Amino acid sequence: MNVSGLVWAVTLIALTAILVFDLLVIGRRPHEPSVRESSLWVGFYVGLALLFGVGLWFFGGGKVAGEFYTGWLTEYSLSVDNLFVFVIIMARFAVPRQYQQKVLLIGIVLALIMRGAFIAAGAALISQFTWVFYIFGAFLIYTAINLARQGEPDEDEFTENVLIRWSRRALPISQGYDGAKMTTREYGRRLFTPMLIVMIAIGTTDLIFALDSIPAIFGITQEPYLVFTANVFALMGLRQLYFLLGGLLNRLIYLSTGLAVVLGFIGVKLVLEALAENNLPFLNGGEHVGWAPHIPIWLSLTVILGTLAVATVASLVKSSRDRRRELLAVKH
């Protein structure tokens, strides 16, 4: 895939313009969006991603569009999993609902910056060393196993990392929030508000999730343009999706299991591709491994879409049954 500098420039300008517009809207009127407002925004961003894929299909063909859609779906699913941790952070630090939009937007901007850096580093490594696929694949399989064991994060299990604990000790923090500001003045003294600690928590969480998502997308496509745009479109609308899903997030009890299967599948796919392109002298004499199959993009899309659909349906069925049992127990 040969993407010219002009196409890169136009893409970056267009995506930045959308992000700046979103930022200006939030900065002018912080509020908790309604279900209707959130639905319209999520539909708008999903529609943009689908239209972008159609454009890729027209100019680049079905394979390119298929890789974009598969990568976008994978990254979008991982981004939804991010929301579980965001919900826990908001609850732990008691962030007022009307200011949570700003926190989420800044978190998304930080995620874009971090993922952009990881994409550039990953693309440079892959172009020079094909054996990096072994590392990416092993990391994803390891992550999948841990995710399957741990399940969805719980507020009681949330532990503050070293940076958050250091910030609490070293920085002068006010007792309460001052709107969405990160600093305030109390008794003539300039203090940081708890909002700064929230931003640190969100930023470090973004860093951890970026470590998972970038190897996953490189398991779908190695085209930097597709990797970048799939990540950007996956993060767009995440803020509105947070408010749209609301309590539904707690009902997606099998989402982590589904994501574990997806990450495990992509990890195995990466290892197989690494074997097929093997040039490590201590494996098969430095020769390509002939039996290692190539998994086509249509099969990857089918497995990922099917797994997420089954996990979502199973979660909703299980949560509905549990709710009915709770109601019956209360009645009796």
Side-chain angles (χ1 to χ4, degrees):
M1 186 178 179
N2 186 19
V3 181
S4 66
L6 178 61
V7 173
W8 268 105
V10 171
T11 303
L12 289 172
I13 291 171
L15 295 177
T16 301
I18 295 172
L19 186 63
V20 169
F21 173 76
D22 206 349
L23 180 62
L24 291 176
V25 169
I26 298 306
R28 187 170 60 245
R29 191 171 65 92
H31 67 291
E32 180 182 350
S34 64
V35 172
R36 181 177 181 276
E37 180 185 345
S38 298
S39 300
L40 289 174
W41 276 105
V42 170
F44 171 72
Y45 284 125
V46 170
L48 275 183
L50 295 176
L51 284 175
F52 185 78
V54 171
L56 288 173
W57 195 309
F58 182 79
F59 290 104
K63 182 177 182 296
V64 171
E67 289 182 358
F68 169 77
Y69 282 132
T70 306
W72 169 68
L73 181 63
T74 301
E75 294 299 300
Y76 201 78
S77 303
L78 290 169
S79 296
V80 171
D81 200 44
N82 285 27
L83 293 182
F84 281 100
V85 181
F86 288 170
V87 167
I88 292 172
I89 290 173
M90 300 291 190
R92 172 62 68 90
F93 295 100
V95 180
R97 292 285 289 182
Q98 65 268 31
Y99 303 122
Q100 290 183 9
Q101 278 211 80
K102 182 174 181 180
V103 174
L104 290 167
L105 189 58
I106 293 176
I108 290 169
V109 172
L110 290 174
L112 282 171
I113 294 172
M114 292 177 187
R115 293 188 185 194
F118 281 129
I119 288 168
L125 283 172
I126 289 171
S127 65
Q128 297 293 323
F129 311 105
T130 57
W131 51 262
V132 171
F133 282 152
Y134 286 115
I135 298 175
F136 281 2
F139 178 75
L140 288 178
I141 293 171
Y142 171 78
T143 302
I145 293 171
N146 282 341
L147 193 58
R149 287 177 176 175
Q150 295 171 2
E152 297 299 347
D154 185 79
E155 186 175 353
D156 295 333
E157 298 174 355
F158 178 79
T159 56
E160 297 181 357
N161 59 48
V162 175
L163 186 57
I164 296 175
R165 293 196 299 270
W166 176 85
S167 300
R168 282 185 180 279
R169 292 195 307 267
L171 301 177
I173 306 294
S174 64
Q175 292 297 316
Y177 290 93
D178 184 6
K181 299 177 182 177
M182 293 193 198
T183 63
T184 188
R185 186 173 291 277
E186 290 185 358
Y187 307 108
R189 185 186 177 200
R190 178 65 65 179
L191 302 174
F192 292 103
T193 70
M195 188 64 74
L196 176 64
I197 306 298
V198 173
M199 294 302 180
I200 293 173
I202 292 289
T204 51
T205 298
D206 283 335
L207 178 61
I208 293 170
F209 276 103
L211 291 173
D212 295 338
S213 65
I214 297 307
I217 187 67
F218 274 115
I220 303 298
T221 178
Q222 286 82 59
E223 295 291 346
Y225 184 77
L226 297 181
V227 171
F228 176 75
T229 51
N231 267 277
V232 173
F233 279 109
L235 290 171
M236 282 184 172
L238 190 63
R239 171 177 58 82
Q240 292 86 354
L241 187 64
Y242 172 89
F243 292 98
L244 178 61
L245 293 179
L248 184 62
L249 281 173
N250 295 327
R251 299 177 63 189
L252 298 177
I253 55 180
Y254 294 130
L255 178 61
S256 282
T257 303
L259 289 175
V261 173
V262 169
L263 292 178
F265 169 78
I266 298 174
V268 171
K269 180 177 182 291
L270 274 172
V271 172
L272 290 175
E273 290 184 3
L275 289 170
E277 300 293 330
N278 178 65
N279 57 11
L280 294 177
F282 53 84
L283 283 178
N284 198 39
E287 299 294 328
H288 303 332
V289 178
W291 58 262
H294 171 71
I295 299 177
I297 197 64
W298 66 264
L299 181 57
S300 297
L301 181 58
T302 302
V303 170
I304 293 169
L305 192 58
T307 300
L308 295 175
V310 169
T312 301
V313 172
S315 295
L316 296 178
V317 170
K318 176 70 163 56
S319 59
S320 296
R321 288 178 179 174
D322 291 344
R323 186 170 298 179
R324 284 197 297 269
R325 288 174 183 170
E326 290 175 1
L327 290 175
L328 288 174
V330 170
K331 289 180 180 179
H332 294 292

